[in-house]
Amino acid sequence: VNLKLEAEAAYVKSTDISLNNAVDNLLYADSRNCALLKEAVMNFLADNHYEAAEKISFDDMPGHVVKDLLIVFGRNSKKDANGTNVDELTSFCVSALRRKLDKWVWKSMDLVRQ
């Protein structure tokens, strides 16, 4: 595991995300490609969406970040607006994708050993 990822994981674990710091953390995570932090903030905003909508201004939020937020909000839905099934890999969170990759790697290593 590289140092950046370890530092990011430690920061996410030690930081209390609140309505006061959510936007700053989200924009920082997006600008520095910190997927774990971005996911943690987005999950916080999804869990507190009513309060966030009232207290946070999203006016200056980049469009791609707003799109990512919408994906997080719709993650529980497996169909898009047209009723078409959504590819589950596009709606997985980062930690779930990493777990799937880890399983696949270990499974592949077992096959190689045989």
Side-chain angles (χ1 to χ4, degrees):
V1 178
N2 69 35
L3 183 59
K4 178 187 174 199
L5 187 56
E6 286 185 38
E8 181 183 353
Y11 180 79
V12 168
K13 191 174 184 178
S14 67
T15 300
D16 289 327
I17 298 169
S18 68
L19 293 174
N20 294 328
N21 66 17
V23 171
D24 290 337
N25 278 312
L26 180 58
L27 293 176
Y28 178 79
D30 183 62
S31 70
R32 300 290 183 219
N33 295 320
C34 298
L36 290 174
L37 178 58
K38 188 174 181 180
E39 177 181 51
V41 175
M42 289 190 171
N43 286 339
F44 171 82
L45 291 172
D47 292 344
N48 300 283
H49 59 278
Y50 289 118
E51 296 162 53
E54 288 179 10
K55 297 180 181 178
I56 296 176
S57 171
F58 294 94
D59 293 341
D60 296 327
M61 190 78 58
H64 67 277
V65 175
V66 173
K67 181 180 176 183
D68 292 345
L69 274 169
L70 289 172
I71 290 170
V72 170
F73 292 158
R75 189 176 286 149
N76 294 334
S77 172
K78 297 293 183 195
K79 295 185 185 258
D80 65 11
N82 298 322
T84 308
N85 287 331
V86 176
D87 175 19
E88 66 180 17
L89 292 179
T90 62
S91 63
F92 269 129
C93 60
V94 173
S95 53
L97 284 171
R98 286 189 174 143
R99 281 192 300 273
K100 281 193 164 296
L101 178 62
D102 193 47
K103 265 187 187 176
W104 180 81
V105 167
W106 283 106
K107 191 176 187 179
S108 297
M109 289 174 66
D110 287 343
L111 290 173
V112 169
R113 287 183 201 143
Q114 293 176 357

